[in-house]
Amino acid sequence: MNLSEIGYRRVVVKLGTSVLTSGSKSLDKAHMVELARQMASLMKSGVEVVLCTSGAIAAGREHLGYPNLPETVANKQLLAAVGQGQLILAWSQLFSIYGLHVGQLLLTRADLHDRERYLNARDSLNALLANGIIPIINENDAVATSEIKVGDNDNLSARAALLCDADLLILLTDQKGLFDADPRANPDAKLIKQVVNIDDSLRSLAGGAVSGLGTGGMATKLQAADIARRAGIEVVIASGHHPKVIQHAVCKEGIGTHFTALENPLESRKQWILAGPKTTGRLVLDSGAIVAVTQKGRSLLSKGIVSVSGQFERGATLQLIDETGREVARGMSRYSAKDLLSIAGKHSNEIESLLGYDYGDAVVHRNDMVVL
């Protein structure tokens, strides 16, 4: 593989459980070694690789002999705790065939929510890569609760791509890519080879709630692709069982669905706002504020706020929505929920008299905002 023909410096590869198990109950080590070989080939060509892997719970079930456990959170955490060690052991052994070392990073949303922990995770990733070690990332399912979970490894991989400033995110799944209809129900469904803009019509194609298309399937992959491309990262969704799929994706050989990166990527602070903190409140904006925020590049002022929901403190990340409920932006609030309930709909010059203090005219400054 000729590095000069690749054009990528750093690539994140996300592998779903369906790819790792090949649809069975256990890890498909034969297929995993082939994927490891492709990633090792990239590393030998000078392209840095980050692996975001699912499969801990499946590995735990296999190692314990498929116990019949009730489907409780505690039992899923048990399986993840057992399986994570088995999963990292498997990858370590497979990459060692090619003379490569691996390092494990287990993350939760809490690690991405706090700015300092976010930067520490980024430093750890970069240190591993600088020393030729493949970072292997998974969600810390053994301790994560619903409040601190990212929730799926598609979105986790997008956040990992932002963390390490990757050029390309490859999402490997049991589908060939994004189709214009459900390929299992419609034999005439056609593969969408190129996506320049992710809009509501494209999101509607995600539909359903089953693996391949829907929640945990194509829907979360679209979310991940949207996060990554806003940071200037190209994305490919492709079948994890296509021969030499990783090499084809990196060499831009027209495999799967390719998502074009935005030409003007977000700066690092806005990448963190988009990738890290969980939104804790919502502000409904009037039509004038919507235009100011989305079309004129303005900060959000208190006058444009119609209503406030949620309990949050100053510095929280909020959803900015229009009066139909559509999210138009996301940003960090300079005021608490209690403050905003007092100043919503009021002119900026009234803030100090209403609160007894002010943190500036802007409720959400444009430098702390990501327009969606």
Side-chain angles (χ1 to χ4, degrees):
M1 190 182 301
N2 189 339
L3 179 60
S4 63
E5 297 175 355
I6 293 174
Y8 297 114
R9 173 184 54 86
R10 189 171 287 178
V11 175
V12 174
V13 178
K14 183 268 175 178
L15 300 174
T17 300
S18 62
V19 174
L20 296 175
T21 62
S22 299
S24 69
K25 294 195 300 181
S26 58
L27 297 177
D28 183 350
K29 301 288 181 60
H31 187 53
M32 288 173 67
V33 74
E34 166 56 18
L35 294 169
R37 183 194 66 76
Q38 293 180 50
M39 288 181 272
S41 178
L42 278 185
M43 292 285 286
K44 296 294 174 62
S45 298
V47 179
E48 296 172 334
V49 175
V50 176
L51 172 59
C52 188
T53 179
S54 301
I57 291 177
R61 288 189 193 278
E62 179 182 357
H63 187 68
L64 295 177
Y66 309 102
N68 185 19
L69 299 173
E71 289 292 320
T72 64
V73 171
N75 284 334
K76 289 180 180 178
Q77 291 175 323
L78 176 157
L79 293 170
V82 172
Q84 192 59 50
Q86 298 302 311
L87 186 63
I88 195 67
L89 176 62
W91 282 121
S92 180
Q93 292 172 338
L94 295 176
F95 279 111
S96 70
I97 297 171
Y98 305 101
L100 291 171
H101 295 290
V102 303
Q104 179 175 243
L105 274 78
L106 297 177
L107 300 174
T108 66
R109 185 183 287 277
D111 298 307
L112 305 173
H113 181 99
D114 181 82
R115 179 67 172 168
E116 184 175 357
R117 289 166 69 174
Y118 178 92
L119 295 175
N120 287 340
R122 187 183 68 179
D123 290 344
S124 297
L125 264 175
N126 287 332
L128 289 168
L129 291 167
N131 287 278
I133 299 169
I134 296 180
I136 297 184
I137 297 174
N138 198 355
E139 183 142 31
N140 196 353
D141 289 321
V143 301
T145 62
S146 59
E147 288 79 15
I148 63 171
K149 283 178 68 67
V150 174
D152 63 87
N153 275 355
D154 293 321
N155 276 285
L156 182 64
S157 68
R159 287 156 170 79
L162 269 65
L163 267 177
C164 69
D165 192 26
D167 309 295
L168 175 66
L169 170 61
I170 304 174
L171 301 171
L172 297 183
T173 181
D174 55 1
Q175 296 288 319
K176 293 180 179 179
L178 178 64
F179 286 80
D180 61 4
D182 187 341
R184 296 156 310 175
N186 186 347
D188 296 323
K190 293 182 174 57
L191 179 69
I192 301 172
K193 294 185 177 180
Q194 186 79 27
V195 173
V196 176
N197 182 44
I198 297 177
D199 55 21
D200 290 340
S201 63
L202 193 66
R203 291 187 184 95
S204 68
L205 296 176
V210 292
S211 181
L213 277 170
T215 304
M218 205 56 71
T220 57
K221 287 171 180 58
L222 277 184
Q223 293 169 3
D226 204 19
I227 289 170
R229 62 192 290 274
R230 289 178 185 278
I233 302 167
E234 294 179 41
V235 182
V236 173
I237 299 175
S239 168
H241 285 87
H242 190 285
K244 298 182 179 179
V245 59
I246 295 173
Q247 294 180 16
H248 286 310
V250 170
C251 292
K252 301 182 181 181
E253 293 178 352
I255 191 170
T257 301
H258 179 268
F259 294 78
T260 305
L262 297 190
E263 292 184 2
N264 299 307
L266 301 169
E267 62 266 27
S268 60
R269 181 172 177 79
K270 291 189 177 182
Q271 289 182 16
W272 173 67
I273 291 170
L274 185 64
K278 184 177 182 179
T279 56
T280 54
R282 306 176 87 192
L283 303 181
V284 177
L285 314 187
D286 65 24
S287 58
I290 294 291
V291 171
V293 164
T294 62
Q295 298 179 28
K296 297 182 178 180
R298 304 274 179 82
S299 299
L300 173 63
L301 305 181
S302 54
K303 178 66 176 174
I305 300 174
V306 175
S307 65
V308 180
S309 62
Q311 297 294 324
F312 53 87
E313 297 302 320
R314 183 171 182 256
T317 301
L318 309 179
Q319 291 179 304
L320 309 184
I321 63 176
D322 64 19
E323 295 187 77
T324 69
R326 181 174 62 95
E327 184 179 10
V328 299
R330 192 172 299 176
M332 293 174 62
S333 176
R334 295 189 171 186
Y335 292 88
S336 68
K338 181 181 177 182
D339 289 344
L340 290 179
L341 287 170
S342 299
I343 65 175
K346 307 295 185 182
H347 286 285
S348 299
N349 58 15
E350 297 179 75
I351 292 176
E352 186 171 3
S353 63
L354 290 167
L355 300 179
Y357 52 85
D358 75 73
Y359 297 116
D361 291 346
V363 170
V364 179
H365 194 276
R366 65 175 180 268
N367 291 342
D368 297 327
M369 184 191 303
V370 178
V371 176
L372 304 178

